[in-house]
Amino acid sequence: MARVATFPPTRLVFAWTRSDTVPVLLGQVNFFMEFDVCFFRSRSEFELRPRITASESS
């Protein structure tokens, strides 16, 4: 379980390696399955929201 910002704790999958040359990429785990992320390239910003489940959208 991980806490991201002020959102409720979320189950995230993490992977690791013994190499110092591998960058951390959240897209390689389930981060983007649990959060909606909007990137604003021109402003060098991003917006993060927890995903909405089917039961929440009804």
Side-chain angles (χ1 to χ4, degrees):
M1 299 300 287
R3 181 174 294 266
V4 177
T6 59
F7 303 126
T10 303
R11 184 178 303 273
L12 293 178
V13 176
F14 287 94
W16 57 91
T17 179
R18 291 182 186 256
S19 172
D20 292 334
T21 60
V22 177
V24 174
L25 231 180
L26 293 174
Q28 293 177 340
V29 294
N30 69 326
F31 185 85
F32 290 107
M33 297 289 291
E34 299 298 328
F35 293 94
D36 290 327
V37 182
C38 245
F39 293 95
F40 302 96
R41 176 65 178 108
S42 63
R43 298 185 303 209
S44 297
E45 296 177 1
F46 65 93
E47 184 178 321
L48 184 67
R49 295 182 188 163
R51 73 180 173 115
I52 297 174
T53 63
S55 62
E56 294 172 329
S57 64
S58 306

